[in-house]
Amino acid sequence: MERVNFIIAIDGFSSCGKSTVAKAVAKKLQFVFIDSGAMYRAVTLYFLRHNIDLTDTAEINAALEQIHIDFIPRTDKVCILLNGEDVSEEIRTMQVSEKVSEVSALKEVRHALVKQQQDLGKRRDIVMDGRDIGTTVFPDADLKIFMTASPDVRARRRLTELLAKGESVSIEEIRQNLSHRDHLDSTREESPLRQAEDAIVIDNSDLTQDQQLEIVLSEYEKKKSGH
């Protein structure tokens, strides 16, 4: 049966503005926005809270059975719920950032969340951002975008975000964290971060958010007219 809903997959490196653009596109098109990175962060938060041993497969699988993730649209943002608790802010802390790539690399975690993500995209028009959406989760996505930006721009964006939340962190710590995550994300065995062959690349180092939005909407219109 041919799929009738429209799927936009936005992949790319950490802190290159994927979620910001994805949210704006979803709002403009009235699609459902799904932040796959937030799902991995929520699992990471659960693992940290419960001291899950990342080398113990049985313990990991038992923990995953206890995790339920939901997205709830609010007036100004989409909140992520972990077992009913709004963890939208807590999943963005440096503590979670330092562990999320390691947790995301676990085969059991990826299989569990990819299945959830695919279920979310079965019936609705969606915009989903992450690292393996156009390659693993939705290889048949109607529109694939791969976003990138220079390391300095990404580090500055992340610093601004963390300082606004009251976290005390240096730009050097952030640079190291981003570099470490890039390496883990690109070299992991399960669904590594890579650009899909049919993805449109946007380097947004010198682009405003409005310019990025316009590019994606323009590509959407091209795909939609030939859909």
Side-chain angles (χ1 to χ4, degrees), residues 78-197:
V78 177
C79 296
I80 183 164
L81 304 186
L82 171 60
N83 296 336
E85 176 194 353
D86 184 351
V87 293
S88 308
E89 297 299 323
E90 198 174 350
I91 61 169
R92 302 292 171 189
T93 61
M94 201 66 181
Q95 182 194 20
V96 172
S97 292
E98 284 171 350
K99 271 286 178 194
V100 65
S101 288
E102 194 178 340
V103 172
S104 300
L106 297 170
K107 178 175 66 177
E108 297 77 17
V109 172
R110 294 211 78 80
H111 286 186
L113 288 191
V114 166
K115 184 179 183 308
Q116 279 196 45
Q117 290 155 9
Q118 288 171 335
D119 288 343
L120 287 166
K122 275 180 179 168
R123 292 168 297 280
R124 299 175 288 183
D125 294 328
I126 64 166
V127 181
M128 189 179 290
D129 79 305
R131 286 163 181 64
D132 63 345
I133 310 306
T135 52
T136 301
V137 184
F138 294 115
D140 64 340
D142 301 281
L143 173 60
K144 299 178 188 179
I145 304 288
F146 190 88
M147 296 187 68
T148 184
S150 74
D152 276 351
V153 167
R154 291 166 58 208
R156 285 200 303 273
R157 285 174 183 165
R158 184 80 177 122
L159 179 66
T160 303
E161 182 186 321
L162 290 171
L163 291 177
K165 291 176 179 172
E167 281 207 57
S168 176
V169 62
S170 72
I171 189 118
E172 194 47 49
E173 280 179 275
I174 292 170
R175 279 200 187 100
Q176 287 175 4
N177 174 250
L178 291 177
S179 175
H180 180 59
R181 287 176 65 192
D182 287 350
H183 176 71
L184 289 178
D185 292 342
S186 303
T187 58
R188 66 182 178 226
E189 279 187 41
E190 285 292 320
S191 312
L193 166 65
R194 61 184 174 83
Q195 180 192 323
E197 285 181 13

